[in-house]
Amino acid sequence: CMNYLLPHSYAWGNFSVLAMGIWAIVQRDSLDAIMMFLTGLLLTVLTDIIHISIFYPSHDYLSDAKRFSIGMAIFSLLLKPVSCYLVYRMYRERGGE
């Protein structure tokens, strides 16, 4: 998000899932909040793969800031399956089936 390498939809998608995560943490008794957060995380995994694969720059135009930005986006993408697993465990603890 800091280098405007990826489109605005990347930032909006990830920040909206972050907002759903905060909502899921605040409302501890709501299954809907945790389910929407899990669905949003799974959806952003797919959209992040699409965004990174389409908007990855060629090596000729790769500055250090762009390399760092795309590296952090890939690192975030690699951590999302772990987050999905932890959120699923939280869903099961709250009584989800």
Side-chain angles (χ1 to χ4, degrees):
C1 293
M2 73 176 209
N3 200 8
Y4 302 110
L5 181 66
L6 296 171
H8 295 293
S9 59
Y10 176 80
W12 277 104
N14 284 311
F15 289 141
S16 61
V17 168
L18 178 66
M20 281 190 280
I22 293 170
W23 175 44
I25 290 171
V26 169
Q27 291 197 349
R28 295 195 178 268
D29 58 340
S30 175
L31 280 176
D32 293 335
I34 198 75
M35 194 62 192
M36 284 184 63
F37 181 46
L38 182 60
T39 305
L41 272 174
L42 291 172
L43 184 65
T44 57
V45 168
L46 178 66
T47 59
D48 286 356
I49 291 170
I50 293 170
H51 279 121
I52 292 171
S53 63
I54 290 176
F55 293 102
Y56 192 82
S58 66
H59 295 294
D60 299 336
Y61 302 107
L62 213 64
S63 67
D64 290 337
K66 288 181 181 179
R67 187 176 297 130
F68 179 76
S69 294
I70 206 76
M72 288 296 109
I74 292 170
F75 184 65
S76 171
L77 178 62
L78 291 174
L79 285 179
K80 281 188 183 180
V82 175
S83 299
C84 288
Y85 173 72
L86 294 175
V87 170
Y88 179 72
R89 282 188 50 202
M90 191 182 307
Y91 172 73
R92 297 285 293 176
E93 288 174 2
R94 291 185 184 185
E97 296 179 12

